Amino acid sequence: ELIICIKDTCPQPQTVRLQTPPWPRPKSFRRTPGKVFSDAAGGWYSSLADSTPVHLCEQLLVSVQEASGLPWWFSICVATLSVRTLVTLPLAAYQLVVISKVEALQAEISELAKRLRYEVSVTARERSWTERESRFQFKKNLRRIVSQLYVRDNCHPFKASLLVWVQLPLWISLSLALRNLSLDQSDLQGALAAGGALWFPDLTIPDSTLILPVCLGLANLLIVEVFSLQRVAASRTQRLALNTVRGFSLLMIPIAATVPSSMALYWFASSLVGFSHNLLLRSPSICRLLQLSTPHSTSPYRDLLTAFFAKYRK
């Protein structure tokens, strides 16, 4: 067996062996059980809208409105800010720490990959491996080395996806909760019908002016474009993913135009809060507090504006 030594990766030198084997429902309102709304009386959508997480979100929204005494449109904004700050902001900060550690490991991984490639080539000549066998051994042992580094620094990339696995179900549950509360079967339908403001006085019907849907689409596009400025040289796959997200942001406009204004308002408020959190996490003070492993700009907001104008004022 072949031994490759990884130096300076932990307090004590370690060796990695190159193995060569053969190969409560809310109390303030009630609905008919199992009936979400008249045009979707059954199926998976009905089951999802009548699920426990959705009912918990309904209870949360009702509790916030009753405790604060605020109009419904303001209560939705307050609940959105509270949930995203208390739940998703800490996860976003943790995601930033994990990504920073992974990026800091890239130079070490690159150096170890060069050494491993040399060791594999030597062993391949000694044992008369084919090119396919050599490539297989290199990839297999490199994966093991990288995995050991992730364990050492407690930064497996899968941990960076924790935010998505929490934020997406939460977003869906709150959206369905607001739709349920806006239906005729809800005892709070009347309160929501009079709980709007400005150009959307009725939160139970779509925004006929399309102002909320358009603002939602523009906010999502702004978030996507600001995020794209972080990547200096994006790969083809990354550009494809970015264009897909842009298309989805535009698709949200006609979708938001067909749902109750309460849902469109929540989506818009959620996007604004998410964007503000993204900017907050760029702050040098926050970066120092999180002890990020990678260097960070001392003037991130000025850099963003410079990059934005440089990209779109050509």
Side-chain angles (χ1 to χ4, degrees):
E1 60 184 7
L2 179 65
I3 299 178
I4 176 173
C5 181
I6 305 180
K7 297 181 179 180
D8 302 326
T9 59
C10 57
Q12 298 296 330
Q14 294 184 346
T15 60
V16 177
R17 297 181 180 275
L18 178 64
Q19 301 174 354
T20 57
W23 314 108
R25 180 65 60 88
K27 297 180 180 179
S28 302
F29 68 97
R30 59 184 180 279
R31 292 191 312 278
T32 304
K35 185 175 181 58
V36 182
F37 51 97
S38 58
D39 59 343
W44 65 268
Y45 185 92
S46 177
S47 300
L48 179 61
D50 204 29
S51 62
T52 299
V54 174
H55 291 325
L56 290 176
C57 288
E58 292 172 357
Q59 182 66 70
L60 171 66
L61 292 166
V62 172
S63 299
V64 169
Q65 199 280 329
E66 291 180 344
S68 64
L70 297 170
W72 261 104
W73 71 271
F74 201 5
S75 295
I76 292 173
C77 295
V78 170
T80 303
L81 176 62
S82 301
V83 170
R84 294 217 54 167
T85 301
L86 296 176
V87 179
T88 62
L89 179 58
L91 292 177
Y94 178 69
Q95 180 187 60
L96 191 61
V97 171
V98 172
I99 292 176
S100 176
K101 288 182 178 180
V102 171
E103 291 177 348
L105 282 176
Q106 296 312 303
E108 186 176 357
I109 292 174
S110 178
E111 181 62 28
L112 290 173
K114 293 178 182 178
R115 295 167 55 187
L116 178 61
R117 190 181 299 278
Y118 171 77
E119 298 293 345
V120 169
S121 65
V122 172
T123 306
R125 287 194 297 269
E126 293 176 351
R127 304 191 180 186
S128 301
W129 285 348
T130 64
E131 180 65 25
R132 182 178 180 180
E133 291 171 334
S134 299
R135 188 164 54 250
F136 172 80
Q137 290 295 332
F138 172 77
K139 291 181 178 180
K140 184 187 68 173
N141 285 275
L142 181 61
R143 283 195 299 267
R144 186 172 68 252
I145 292 173
V146 172
S147 178
Q148 288 180 341
L149 294 177
Y150 287 157
V151 171
R152 185 199 70 186
D153 289 358
N154 190 25
C155 62
H156 195 284
F158 180 79
K159 294 182 178 180
S161 66
L162 182 61
L163 175 63
V164 176
W165 294 109
V166 173
Q167 182 172 317
L168 185 58
L170 186 61
W171 183 85
I172 293 175
S173 297
L174 280 169
S175 298
L176 292 179
L178 283 168
R179 175 131 197 181
N180 289 350
L181 293 175
S182 301
L183 300 176
D184 293 337
Q185 289 87 351
S186 169
D187 290 344
L188 294 177
Q189 194 269 344
L192 280 163
L198 301 175
W199 66 89
F200 54 98
D202 189 344
L203 293 174
T204 65
I205 61 176
D207 179 11
S208 59
T209 66
L210 298 182
I211 295 178
L212 274 179
V214 171
C215 289
L216 170 65
L218 293 177
N220 288 336
L221 281 176
L222 179 62
I223 294 172
V224 173
E225 298 310 315
V226 169
F227 177 78
S228 68
L229 296 176
Q230 302 177 32
R231 302 185 180 277
V232 179
S235 64
R236 181 178 180 181
T237 302
Q238 290 172 339
R239 288 195 299 269
L240 178 61
L242 187 62
N243 290 330
T244 301
V245 176
R246 285 175 177 145
F248 182 76
S249 298
L250 293 176
L251 182 62
M252 285 297 295
I253 296 178
I255 294 176
T258 61
V259 300
S261 296
S262 59
M263 291 178 66
L265 176 63
Y266 162 64
W267 293 347
F268 179 50
S270 181
S271 295
L272 290 182
V273 173
F275 181 61
S276 64
H277 287 171
N278 185 286
L279 294 179
L280 176 64
L281 292 175
R282 293 171 178 268
S283 168
S285 301
I286 298 298
C287 292
R288 288 193 297 269
L289 179 63
L290 297 177
Q291 299 180 348
L292 300 183
S293 304
T294 52
H296 50 272
S297 172
T298 56
S299 56
Y301 308 121
R302 185 188 309 164
D303 294 344
L304 273 180
L305 285 175
T306 302
F308 186 86
F309 287 120
K311 181 177 181 179
Y312 296 104
R313 292 182 62 180
K314 295 180 180 179

